């Protein structure tokens, strides 16, 4: 069977490993627009604070390893279009002029997500940084080690934002955490636990601004960034965007069923509305067990499981997804613990 895997972070890497371990005779082609795979972006805060010493240690697989398993891995290549009727994908070489069509029997979409950027004045300033990729991590580390950078603003108080705020606090920076909702960790904690978690942050001098919507950015002659909001303006040397991800599923827009986020809707076997197309990771929905309904919950842990399932079920739907409780990724789950007084204790331990 010819299987085409588009994108190769957590879901793609695990899908390929599953396929070629169980079915070594399969013809697997991977198309990845970057020159690396399997980067653990959820570990960026640990690297910034010095717990992880080498950024390279956050890769758990390489293109060479997948090639040794038998995959054809096309890094620095990008899929421009997909023809579901003809079972072809048009691919270009990002470092050259070549392009070609790849044929497949089954397609696994593991294209992940992109950092959501606000469409507001000044958002294109290079001092306003996303946090997701290996390159992003390098830029953030350079900023963290720059003696001229004292004030850091993090926009978004979800998992990533809270962890980044704690990390920059540990490295001696003055940190402001800005959140448009009335509590931190809006989608993951009830208000009583959110209040306890917020208190642990403020006890360590992290400024938390709630109900605060950013309306624009300006940079003055000294290089300082002013963050304009509906409340009070804030000054920072750098700004980190951490208020969400957008599924990178545009290649299949209008071709398979997608939710209002643009995420590919899959069944319990990771199969889309097109029976020859499977999807996993941040580009797809998952079943949220507390409600029993599908939801867009981009987590590395879910991507790993979904990638494995796609690699199994592409040969015939055999194993159902167990869904997710949407627990925080490591290390935040240990940081927050489960509830009540334990939350304060764990947050304080994490911030010391």
């Amino acid at each position: 069977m010819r299987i085409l895997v588009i994108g190769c972070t957590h879901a793609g890497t695990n899908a390929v490993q599953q396929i070629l371990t169980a079915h070594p005779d399969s013809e697997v082609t991977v198309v990845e627009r970057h020159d690396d795979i399997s980067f653990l972006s959820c570990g960026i805060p640990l690297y910034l604070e010095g717990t992880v010493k080498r950024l390279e240690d956050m890769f758990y697989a390489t293109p060479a390893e997948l090639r040794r398993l038998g995959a054809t891995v096309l890094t620095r290549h990008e899929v421009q279009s997909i023809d579901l009727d003809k079972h072809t994908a048009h691919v270009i070489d990002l470092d050259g002029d070549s392009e070609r069509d790849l044929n497949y029997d089954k397609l696994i979409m593991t294209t992940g997500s992109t950092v959501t950027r606000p469409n507001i004045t000044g958002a294109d300033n290079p001092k306003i940084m996303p946090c997701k990729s290996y390159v992003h991590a390098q830029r953030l580390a350079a900023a963290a080690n720059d003696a001229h950078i004292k004030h850091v603003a993090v926009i978004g108080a979800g998992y990533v934002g809270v962890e980044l705020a704690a990390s920059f606090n540990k490295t001696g920076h003055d940190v402001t955490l800005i959140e448009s909702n009335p509590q931190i960790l809006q989608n993951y904690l009830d208000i009583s636990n959110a209040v306890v978690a917020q208190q642990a942050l403020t006890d360590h001098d992290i400024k938390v601004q709630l109900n605060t919507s950013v309306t624009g950015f300006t940079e003055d002659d000294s290089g300082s960034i002013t963050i304009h909001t509906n409340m009070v303006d804030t000054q920072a040397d750098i700004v980190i965007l951490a208020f969400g991800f957008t599924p990178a599923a545009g290649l299949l827009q209008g071709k398979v069923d997608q939710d209002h986020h643009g995420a590919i809707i899959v069944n319990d076997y990771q199969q889309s509305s097109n029976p020859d197309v499977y999807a996993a990771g941040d580009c797809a929905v998952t079943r949220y067990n507390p409600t029993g309904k599908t939801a867009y919950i981009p987590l590395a842990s879910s991507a790993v499981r979904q990638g494995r399932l796609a690699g199994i079920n592409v040969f015939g739907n055999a194993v159902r997804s167990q869904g997710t409780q949407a627990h925080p990724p490591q290390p935040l789950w240990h940081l927050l613990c489960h509830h009540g007084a334990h939350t304060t204790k764990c947050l304080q331990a994490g911030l010391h």
Side-chain angles (χ1 to χ4, degrees):
M1 183 185 294
R2 296 171 301 177
I3 302 170
L4 176 61
V5 179
I6 304 178
C8 202
T9 307
H10 307 309
T13 298
N14 282 274
V16 173
Q17 290 172 334
Q18 171 63 41
I19 292 167
L20 291 174
T21 299
H23 303 274
D25 294 333
S26 300
E27 184 180 322
V28 178
T29 301
V30 179
V31 180
E32 169 55 54
R33 68 187 310 274
H34 296 104
D35 55 12
D36 55 60
I37 65 170
S38 80
F39 180 66
L40 286 164
S41 58
C42 52
I44 292 176
L46 294 176
Y47 174 68
L48 295 176
E49 70 187 39
T51 301
V52 173
K53 304 302 181 184
R54 289 177 1 105
L55 189 57
E56 290 70 26
D57 290 339
M58 290 199 293
F59 292 100
Y60 58 88
T62 66
E65 289 171 351
L66 297 189
R67 292 184 182 109
R68 284 196 290 271
L69 283 175
T72 299
V73 182
L74 305 176
T75 55
R76 296 290 299 158
H77 283 68
E78 184 173 73
V79 174
Q80 296 289 289
S81 62
I82 300 171
D83 189 322
L84 297 184
D85 293 328
K86 295 181 179 179
H87 285 61
T88 61
H90 189 70
V91 180
I92 64 169
D93 182 347
L94 295 175
D95 295 322
D97 297 327
S98 63
E99 54 185 274
R100 56 178 143 164
D101 287 335
L102 297 177
N103 298 303
Y104 66 85
D105 298 310
K106 299 289 183 179
L107 171 64
I108 301 180
M109 290 287 291
T110 50
T111 43
S113 61
T114 58
V115 175
T116 303
R117 294 192 74 102
N119 185 23
I120 56 179
T121 302
D124 57 350
N125 189 308
K127 293 182 180 179
I128 300 169
M129 305 179 180
C131 178
K132 184 173 175 61
S133 70
Y134 176 68
V135 172
H136 296 161
Q138 289 177 308
R139 292 173 180 167
L140 288 171
N145 294 320
D146 187 338
H148 296 95
I149 292 177
K150 307 293 185 183
H151 305 277
V152 176
V154 180
I155 301 177
Y159 294 153
V160 176
V162 170
E163 289 184 341
L164 285 170
S167 294
F168 275 99
N169 174 267
K170 286 182 180 180
T171 53
H173 293 84
D174 181 9
V175 180
T176 301
L177 181 61
I178 300 173
E179 171 57 52
S180 61
N181 287 301
Q183 68 167 76
I184 68 170
L185 298 164
Q186 171 81 18
N187 296 326
Y188 313 107
L189 295 182
D190 60 23
I191 186 62
S192 61
N193 279 296
V195 168
V196 175
Q198 180 180 333
Q199 186 61 53
L201 295 174
T202 56
D203 285 347
H204 288 80
D205 299 320
I206 296 173
K207 303 177 186 68
V208 180
Q209 297 179 358
L210 301 177
N211 297 304
T212 303
S213 299
V214 176
T215 57
F217 306 94
T218 56
E219 181 177 1
D220 62 24
D221 293 339
S222 69
S224 179
I225 301 292
T226 297
I227 305 163
H228 302 284
T229 76
N230 64 320
M231 304 292 279
V232 297
D233 291 350
T234 299
Q235 299 291 127
D237 297 314
I238 61 169
V239 179
I240 306 173
L241 302 178
F243 56 84
F245 301 101
T246 301
L251 284 168
L252 292 181
Q253 185 173 1
K255 299 180 180 181
V256 299
D257 293 343
Q258 294 173 279
D259 74 353
H260 67 282
H261 298 283
I264 299 168
I265 296 174
V266 294
N267 61 19
D268 284 345
Y269 300 98
Q270 303 304 133
Q271 187 178 39
S272 75
S273 57
N274 184 301
D276 291 330
V277 178
Y278 288 73
D282 285 11
C283 69
V285 301
T286 189
R287 188 179 73 247
Y288 181 46
N289 290 333
T291 65
K293 299 178 180 179
T294 59
Y296 183 60
I297 306 173
L299 290 174
S301 53
S302 296
V304 169
R305 291 193 296 269
Q306 289 181 331
R308 292 283 183 187
L309 285 174
I312 293 169
N313 293 324
V314 75
F315 293 94
N317 294 344
V319 179
R320 289 180 178 271
S321 169
Q322 295 182 350
T324 180
Q325 277 65 254
H327 286 174
Q330 303 293 345
L332 190 58
W333 185 239
H334 292 302
L335 193 66
L336 292 174
C337 290
H338 291 279
H339 50 70
H342 294 295
T343 305
T344 302
K345 186 179 295 184
C346 288
L347 269 168
Q348 289 173 341
L351 286 166
H352 278 311

